[in-house]
Amino acid sequence: MTGGLLLSGVLAALLGTALPAQHPSSGFTDPPPDKIVIKVATVNGSGCPQGTTAVAVSEDNTAFTVTYSDYLAQTGGNSDPTAFRKNCQLNLLVHVPQGFTYAVASADYRGFAALQQGASGAQRASYYFQGSSQTVYRNHPLTGPYNDNWQATDTTDWAQLVWAPCGVQRNFNINTELRVSAGTSAPGKVSFMTMDSTDGDISTVYHLAWKECPNS
């Protein structure tokens, strides 16, 4: 599957390590011992054609990764007029062990951009649970000239995390977008932005915070 959910300093422990149990200042709980299971309910958008996205869950249940293989926005030259913007909406069915709930505490995005002088690009993402309000987009702009890999991280402090409802199944939605503008660059010059890595896939990692449900 090649595509995003909710997003500061208190979350640093999430990046690559398990959280301390019942930390009094944060309220975080150790990840539950059982595996979480994430399945893709639907995937829609010009940035994630059918068969180009996938989801994998980390062994310690602290993160999951979404990969894309065909997520590219471009403008200029002979580019299709609609290619300047690509998007992907993932609707995920997330099963968590009984007695626990989760929130997405941060999300890491990576890709490559080649922007001409005068051109610009941006990566955006928003996140929400089924039946709740969509969050405000988090925006990460780039300005040309630029010819390199890019990386962006969305984070949310603990007090503002949006938790999945306890005891109720709510699908989780990730909306991501890439957008490129030619700006004042020469009309014949192509500018583009991808979410991909050296192997042709982008790994977008979503880090999870956990807490126990009441009366669990």
Side-chain angles (χ1 to χ4, degrees), residues 5-6 8 12 22 32 57 72 85 96 103-104 120 122 127 163-164 167 173 181 213 216:
L5 311 151
L6 274 177
S8 116
Q22 300 290 349
V57 181
L72 179 149
R85 176 186 176 274
V96 300
V104 174
S120 61
Y127 319 84
W163 299 91
N173 293 276
S181 172
C213 291
S216 61

PDB file of all heavy atoms in Angstrom, residues 5-6 8 12 22 32 57 72 85 96 103-104 120 122 127 163-164 167 173 181 213 216:
ATOM      1  N   LEU A   5      -3.096  10.135  10.199  1.00  0.00           N
ATOM      2  CA  LEU A   5      -3.788   9.856  11.396  1.00  0.00           C
ATOM      3  C   LEU A   5      -3.543  10.972  12.412  1.00  0.00           C
ATOM      4  O   LEU A   5      -3.848  12.000  12.057  1.00  0.00           O
ATOM      5  CB  LEU A   5      -3.442   8.475  11.807  1.00  0.00           C
ATOM      6  CG  LEU A   5      -3.574   7.450  10.712  1.00  0.00           C
ATOM      7  CD1 LEU A   5      -2.623   6.352  10.928  1.00  0.00           C
ATOM      8  CD2 LEU A   5      -4.822   6.970  10.340  1.00  0.00           C
ATOM      9  N   LEU A   6      -2.842  11.293  14.036  1.00  0.00           N
ATOM     10  CA  LEU A   6      -2.822  12.561  14.752  1.00  0.00           C
ATOM     11  C   LEU A   6      -1.501  12.884  15.424  1.00  0.00           C
ATOM     12  O   LEU A   6      -0.971  12.049  16.128  1.00  0.00           O
ATOM     13  CB  LEU A   6      -3.847  12.625  15.860  1.00  0.00           C
ATOM     14  CG  LEU A   6      -5.194  13.062  15.443  1.00  0.00           C
ATOM     15  CD1 LEU A   6      -6.118  13.027  16.597  1.00  0.00           C
ATOM     16  CD2 LEU A   6      -5.181  14.365  14.794  1.00  0.00           C
ATOM     17  N   SER A   8       4.610  17.895  22.146  1.00  0.00           N
ATOM     18  CA  SER A   8       5.723  17.648  21.278  1.00  0.00           C
ATOM     19  C   SER A   8       6.647  17.143  22.229  1.00  0.00           C
ATOM     20  O   SER A   8       6.274  16.228  22.793  1.00  0.00           O
ATOM     21  CB  SER A   8       5.713  18.854  20.589  1.00  0.00           C
ATOM     22  OG  SER A   8       6.078  19.954  20.172  1.00  0.00           O
ATOM     23  N   ALA A  12       8.962  12.234  22.655  1.00  0.00           N
ATOM     24  CA  ALA A  12      10.255  11.770  22.168  1.00  0.00           C
ATOM     25  C   ALA A  12      10.478  10.297  22.482  1.00  0.00           C
ATOM     26  O   ALA A  12      11.115   9.578  21.711  1.00  0.00           O
ATOM     27  CB  ALA A  12      11.372  12.604  22.785  1.00  0.00           C
ATOM     28  N   GLN A  22       2.849   3.401  33.056  1.00  0.00           N
ATOM     29  CA  GLN A  22       2.128   4.268  33.971  1.00  0.00           C
ATOM     30  C   GLN A  22       2.955   5.465  34.412  1.00  0.00           C
ATOM     31  O   GLN A  22       3.047   5.774  35.583  1.00  0.00           O
ATOM     32  CB  GLN A  22       1.681   3.467  35.202  1.00  0.00           C
ATOM     33  CG  GLN A  22       0.767   2.307  34.883  1.00  0.00           C
ATOM     34  CD  GLN A  22      -0.601   2.765  34.426  1.00  0.00           C
ATOM     35  OE1 GLN A  22      -0.954   3.940  34.539  1.00  0.00           O
ATOM     36  NE2 GLN A  22      -1.391   1.851  33.906  1.00  0.00           N
ATOM     37  N   PRO A  32       0.297  -3.118  25.043  1.00  0.00           N
ATOM     38  CA  PRO A  32      -0.256  -4.407  25.465  1.00  0.00           C
ATOM     39  C   PRO A  32       0.540  -5.552  24.857  1.00  0.00           C
ATOM     40  O   PRO A  32       1.128  -5.417  23.789  1.00  0.00           O
ATOM     41  CB  PRO A  32      -1.687  -4.370  24.921  1.00  0.00           C
ATOM     42  CG  PRO A  32      -1.647  -3.382  23.814  1.00  0.00           C
ATOM     43  CD  PRO A  32      -0.625  -2.357  24.208  1.00  0.00           C
ATOM     44  N   VAL A  57       2.751  -3.780  11.111  1.00  0.00           N
ATOM     45  CA  VAL A  57       2.786  -3.395  12.518  1.00  0.00           C
ATOM     46  C   VAL A  57       4.108  -3.840  13.135  1.00  0.00           C
ATOM     47  O   VAL A  57       4.577  -4.952  12.882  1.00  0.00           O
ATOM     48  CB  VAL A  57       1.614  -4.038  13.286  1.00  0.00           C
ATOM     49  CG1 VAL A  57       1.633  -3.606  14.756  1.00  0.00           C
ATOM     50  CG2 VAL A  57       0.293  -3.659  12.647  1.00  0.00           C
ATOM     51  N   LEU A  72       3.397  10.388  -6.418  1.00  0.00           N
ATOM     52  CA  LEU A  72       4.227  11.423  -7.023  1.00  0.00           C
ATOM     53  C   LEU A  72       3.357  12.544  -7.571  1.00  0.00           C
ATOM     54  O   LEU A  72       2.380  12.300  -8.278  1.00  0.00           O
ATOM     55  CB  LEU A  72       5.087  10.832  -8.148  1.00  0.00           C
ATOM     56  CG  LEU A  72       6.006  11.778  -8.920  1.00  0.00           C
ATOM     57  CD1 LEU A  72       7.252  11.033  -9.387  1.00  0.00           C
ATOM     58  CD2 LEU A  72       5.294  12.372 -10.146  1.00  0.00           C
ATOM     59  N   ARG A  85      -1.203  17.802  -7.901  1.00  0.00           N
ATOM     60  CA  ARG A  85      -1.695  17.422  -6.579  1.00  0.00           C
ATOM     61  C   ARG A  85      -2.049  15.935  -6.584  1.00  0.00           C
ATOM     62  O   ARG A  85      -2.780  15.469  -7.454  1.00  0.00           O
ATOM     63  CB  ARG A  85      -2.933  18.234  -6.182  1.00  0.00           C
ATOM     64  CG  ARG A  85      -3.547  17.819  -4.851  1.00  0.00           C
ATOM     65  CD  ARG A  85      -4.854  18.574  -4.587  1.00  0.00           C
ATOM     66  NE  ARG A  85      -5.494  18.125  -3.361  1.00  0.00           N
ATOM     67  CZ  ARG A  85      -6.330  17.087  -3.272  1.00  0.00           C
ATOM     68  NH1 ARG A  85      -6.623  16.377  -4.361  1.00  0.00           N
ATOM     69  NH2 ARG A  85      -6.863  16.751  -2.115  1.00  0.00           N
ATOM     70  N   VAL A  96      -7.393  -3.690  18.632  1.00  0.00           N
ATOM     71  CA  VAL A  96      -6.429  -3.611  19.728  1.00  0.00           C
ATOM     72  C   VAL A  96      -6.812  -4.625  20.805  1.00  0.00           C
ATOM     73  O   VAL A  96      -7.986  -4.985  20.929  1.00  0.00           O
ATOM     74  CB  VAL A  96      -6.371  -2.188  20.326  1.00  0.00           C
ATOM     75  CG1 VAL A  96      -5.967  -1.179  19.272  1.00  0.00           C
ATOM     76  CG2 VAL A  96      -7.703  -1.800  20.947  1.00  0.00           C
ATOM     77  N   ALA A 103      -3.759   6.000  20.637  1.00  0.00           N
ATOM     78  CA  ALA A 103      -3.805   7.245  19.869  1.00  0.00           C
ATOM     79  C   ALA A 103      -2.534   7.303  19.037  1.00  0.00           C
ATOM     80  O   ALA A 103      -1.512   6.716  19.407  1.00  0.00           O
ATOM     81  CB  ALA A 103      -3.883   8.468  20.776  1.00  0.00           C
ATOM     82  N   VAL A 104      -2.601   7.999  17.914  1.00  0.00           N
ATOM     83  CA  VAL A 104      -1.402   8.188  17.100  1.00  0.00           C
ATOM     84  C   VAL A 104      -0.696   9.434  17.599  1.00  0.00           C
ATOM     85  O   VAL A 104      -1.222  10.541  17.506  1.00  0.00           O
ATOM     86  CB  VAL A 104      -1.748   8.293  15.613  1.00  0.00           C
ATOM     87  CG1 VAL A 104      -0.509   8.641  14.803  1.00  0.00           C
ATOM     88  CG2 VAL A 104      -2.340   6.985  15.134  1.00  0.00           C
ATOM     89  N   SER A 120       7.608  25.393  -5.701  1.00  0.00           N
ATOM     90  CA  SER A 120       7.427  25.023  -4.304  1.00  0.00           C
ATOM     91  C   SER A 120       6.651  23.715  -4.218  1.00  0.00           C
ATOM     92  O   SER A 120       5.993  23.296  -5.173  1.00  0.00           O
ATOM     93  CB  SER A 120       6.691  26.118  -3.526  1.00  0.00           C
ATOM     94  OG  SER A 120       5.394  26.324  -4.069  1.00  0.00           O
ATOM     95  N   ALA A 122       4.667  20.834  -1.083  1.00  0.00           N
ATOM     96  CA  ALA A 122       4.187  20.672   0.283  1.00  0.00           C
ATOM     97  C   ALA A 122       3.669  19.262   0.492  1.00  0.00           C
ATOM     98  O   ALA A 122       3.125  18.640  -0.431  1.00  0.00           O
ATOM     99  CB  ALA A 122       3.085  21.680   0.596  1.00  0.00           C
ATOM    100  N   TYR A 127      -5.861  13.441  10.318  1.00  0.00           N
ATOM    101  CA  TYR A 127      -6.190  12.158  10.920  1.00  0.00           C
ATOM    102  C   TYR A 127      -7.507  12.258  11.696  1.00  0.00           C
ATOM    103  O   TYR A 127      -7.757  13.254  12.352  1.00  0.00           O
ATOM    104  CB  TYR A 127      -5.085  11.749  11.897  1.00  0.00           C
ATOM    105  CG  TYR A 127      -3.691  12.046  11.395  1.00  0.00           C
ATOM    106  CD1 TYR A 127      -3.124  13.310  11.552  1.00  0.00           C
ATOM    107  CD2 TYR A 127      -2.951  11.077  10.741  1.00  0.00           C
ATOM    108  CE1 TYR A 127      -1.858  13.592  11.066  1.00  0.00           C
ATOM    109  CE2 TYR A 127      -1.677  11.345  10.248  1.00  0.00           C
ATOM    110  CZ  TYR A 127      -1.133  12.606  10.419  1.00  0.00           C
ATOM    111  OH  TYR A 127       0.114  12.884   9.939  1.00  0.00           O
ATOM    112  N   TRP A 163      -7.947   9.809  21.458  1.00  0.00           N
ATOM    113  CA  TRP A 163      -7.914   8.367  21.707  1.00  0.00           C
ATOM    114  C   TRP A 163      -9.073   7.663  21.021  1.00  0.00           C
ATOM    115  O   TRP A 163     -10.178   8.190  20.919  1.00  0.00           O
ATOM    116  CB  TRP A 163      -7.979   8.100  23.214  1.00  0.00           C
ATOM    117  CG  TRP A 163      -6.833   8.683  23.963  1.00  0.00           C
ATOM    118  CD1 TRP A 163      -6.771   9.923  24.531  1.00  0.00           C
ATOM    119  CD2 TRP A 163      -5.563   8.070  24.200  1.00  0.00           C
ATOM    120  NE1 TRP A 163      -5.551  10.125  25.107  1.00  0.00           N
ATOM    121  CE2 TRP A 163      -4.779   9.004  24.930  1.00  0.00           C
ATOM    122  CE3 TRP A 163      -5.017   6.827  23.875  1.00  0.00           C
ATOM    123  CZ2 TRP A 163      -3.474   8.723  25.334  1.00  0.00           C
ATOM    124  CZ3 TRP A 163      -3.729   6.542  24.279  1.00  0.00           C
ATOM    125  CH2 TRP A 163      -2.964   7.482  24.998  1.00  0.00           C
ATOM    126  N   ALA A 164      -8.804   6.453  20.589  1.00  0.00           N
ATOM    127  CA  ALA A 164      -9.875   5.620  20.047  1.00  0.00           C
ATOM    128  C   ALA A 164     -10.868   5.314  21.165  1.00  0.00           C
ATOM    129  O   ALA A 164     -10.468   5.097  22.313  1.00  0.00           O
ATOM    130  CB  ALA A 164      -9.290   4.317  19.498  1.00  0.00           C
ATOM    131  N   GLY A 167     -13.957   0.090  23.837  1.00  0.00           N
ATOM    132  CA  GLY A 167     -15.060  -0.842  23.688  1.00  0.00           C
ATOM    133  C   GLY A 167     -15.896  -0.654  22.441  1.00  0.00           C
ATOM    134  O   GLY A 167     -16.932  -1.296  22.278  1.00  0.00           O
ATOM    135  N   ASN A 173      -8.905   6.969   9.964  1.00  0.00           N
ATOM    136  CA  ASN A 173      -8.678   7.547   8.644  1.00  0.00           C
ATOM    137  C   ASN A 173      -7.411   8.399   8.628  1.00  0.00           C
ATOM    138  O   ASN A 173      -7.190   9.214   9.524  1.00  0.00           O
ATOM    139  CB  ASN A 173      -9.867   8.426   8.235  1.00  0.00           C
ATOM    140  CG  ASN A 173     -11.124   7.614   8.010  1.00  0.00           C
ATOM    141  OD1 ASN A 173     -11.352   7.055   6.943  1.00  0.00           O
ATOM    142  ND2 ASN A 173     -11.953   7.522   9.050  1.00  0.00           N
ATOM    143  N   SER A 181       3.807  23.357  -6.935  1.00  0.00           N
ATOM    144  CA  SER A 181       3.435  24.550  -7.702  1.00  0.00           C
ATOM    145  C   SER A 181       4.626  25.027  -8.518  1.00  0.00           C
ATOM    146  O   SER A 181       5.750  25.124  -8.002  1.00  0.00           O
ATOM    147  CB  SER A 181       2.977  25.669  -6.765  1.00  0.00           C
ATOM    148  OG  SER A 181       2.787  26.877  -7.477  1.00  0.00           O
ATOM    149  N   CYS A 213      -8.136   1.081  29.255  1.00  0.00           N
ATOM    150  CA  CYS A 213      -9.511   1.554  29.303  1.00  0.00           C
ATOM    151  C   CYS A 213     -10.040   1.454  30.733  1.00  0.00           C
ATOM    152  O   CYS A 213      -9.606   0.586  31.505  1.00  0.00           O
ATOM    153  CB  CYS A 213     -10.392   0.731  28.372  1.00  0.00           C
ATOM    154  SG  CYS A 213     -10.039   1.008  26.623  1.00  0.00           S
ATOM    155  N   SER A 216     -11.149  -2.030  32.826  1.00  0.00           N
ATOM    156  CA  SER A 216     -10.669  -3.129  31.988  1.00  0.00           C
ATOM    157  C   SER A 216     -10.197  -4.281  32.858  1.00  0.00           C
ATOM    158  O   SER A 216      -9.894  -4.126  34.018  1.00  0.00           O
ATOM    159  CB  SER A 216      -9.534  -2.636  31.085  1.00  0.00           C
ATOM    160  OG  SER A 216      -8.458  -2.185  31.860  1.00  0.00           O
TER     161      SER A 216
END
